[in-house]
Amino acid sequence: MAKSKQNPVTAKKGLSANAWTTIAVLVVAVLVIGGVLVFQHKDSPATGEDTVAADVLRHSDSHTVSEAKDGKATVVEFIDYQCPACEAYYQNITGKLVNDYSGRITLVTRNFPLPMHPLAVPAARAAEAAALQGKYREMYDKLYGDYRSWAVQPDGQNVSSDEQRAQARFDAYAKDLGLDLDRFHRDMASPAVQQRIDQGKADGQKAGVTSTPTLFVNGTEFRPAGTTYPAISQELRTLLDKELDL
């Protein structure tokens, strides 16, 4: 019987060709998995244990809906004005939170318009233009408080793409707030206003934001376990009470 020829390398090491093939596969797997883990660690969103840098979440000129002097509890919310969930948060969680914790927490809002909401950017421009005339909080309340009149189609089923209808509502809000309407229009169309919106989106991406609303409490992303607005609200309040030593 003829003897099979041995691979001189495997023969020298005392390993079969199959063993070396197995080792090679394992090495490749480790390298691939390791590379994936490194990539995910580098680019993954902040977890509940990570803290995002303060200068990413908030700038010196960022808008606040509520302000506390002691700085114990700061909530930063990345919002899309046409996002139904953001409106629901306003109605059920953050709007009530601002009233109930008035003077005790700071609520900062940052722009993060999403591509699937065609009126998100125009609404953000309206809010930013109102801010330039000292009426940010008031316009913020108008946009969410009267949400269905501009953000939703007349059938009430889907978000609207009717920018002309939305602009008419924005103008009505501006008049109600006593804004200079010509200046309001100029500011809405200005590069400075667009830059603020773009900066919010860029900062949100750095912080790992992928959807709205996304909230951070003292730099750490708030990821509720609850599935109802009352449950989520209670989780947020419990966390804030802890930060406030209540």
Side-chain angles (χ1 to χ4, degrees):
M1 180 182 293
K3 293 183 180 180
S4 62
K5 294 183 179 180
Q6 286 186 310
N7 183 310
V9 175
T10 55
K12 182 178 180 181
K13 297 294 184 181
L15 294 175
S16 69
N18 288 339
W20 275 103
T21 299
T22 301
I23 291 172
V25 170
L26 289 174
V27 169
V28 170
V30 169
L31 290 174
V32 170
I33 293 172
V36 170
L37 290 176
V38 169
F39 178 82
Q40 290 180 339
H41 176 74
K42 179 181 178 181
D43 296 328
S44 62
T47 67
E49 300 301 322
D50 293 332
T51 299
V52 178
D55 60 354
V56 170
L57 294 178
R58 182 183 186 184
H59 296 199
S60 60
D61 59 350
S62 294
H63 302 311
T64 59
V65 177
S66 175
E67 192 81 41
K69 294 180 179 180
D70 59 21
K72 282 187 176 182
T74 297
V75 179
V76 177
E77 182 182 17
F78 285 86
I79 59 173
D80 171 322
Y81 284 101
Q82 200 179 13
C83 167
C86 291
E87 187 265 343
Y89 258 61
Y90 172 85
Q91 298 292 349
N92 296 284
I93 300 175
T94 53
K96 295 177 180 179
L97 197 73
V98 167
N99 290 327
D100 294 346
Y101 285 78
S102 178
R104 292 186 291 168
I105 68 167
T106 297
L107 174 60
V108 179
T109 53
R110 302 295 308 278
N111 292 302
F112 199 84
L114 299 170
M116 73 280 290
H117 299 143
L119 300 179
V121 170
R125 288 179 183 147
E128 293 294 341
L132 291 172
Q133 296 189 51
K135 295 290 184 178
Y136 174 77
R137 167 69 190 277
E138 291 82 356
M139 184 61 79
Y140 164 89
D141 285 334
K142 292 278 191 183
L143 291 169
Y144 281 134
D146 196 36
Y147 175 85
R148 300 192 70 81
S149 75
W150 66 268
V152 181
Q153 291 182 1
D155 63 10
Q157 299 302 310
N158 300 292
V159 296
S160 173
S161 60
D162 190 340
E163 189 166 351
Q164 185 175 0
R165 170 175 170 250
Q167 187 62 54
R169 295 307 302 153
F170 302 158
D171 287 354
Y173 304 152
K175 291 176 182 177
D176 287 345
L177 298 176
L179 302 184
D180 179 326
L181 196 59
D182 288 337
R183 180 185 172 188
F184 178 68
H185 289 161
R186 289 196 305 272
D187 288 338
M188 279 192 68
S190 70
V193 159
Q194 185 60 50
Q195 194 278 331
R196 287 186 62 91
I197 297 170
D198 294 342
Q199 186 64 61
K201 189 70 177 282
D203 287 342
Q205 290 171 339
K206 287 180 182 178
V209 175
T210 57
S211 62
T212 58
T214 295
L215 283 69
F216 294 84
V217 178
N218 287 348
T220 300
E221 185 177 344
F222 171 63
R223 293 182 174 177
T227 56
T228 66
Y229 290 118
I232 294 170
S233 179
Q234 187 55 57
E235 285 183 59
L236 182 55
R237 287 167 183 259
T238 298
L239 178 57
L240 289 171
D241 287 347
K242 180 180 179 182
E243 298 294 327
L244 293 169
D245 299 321
L246 296 180

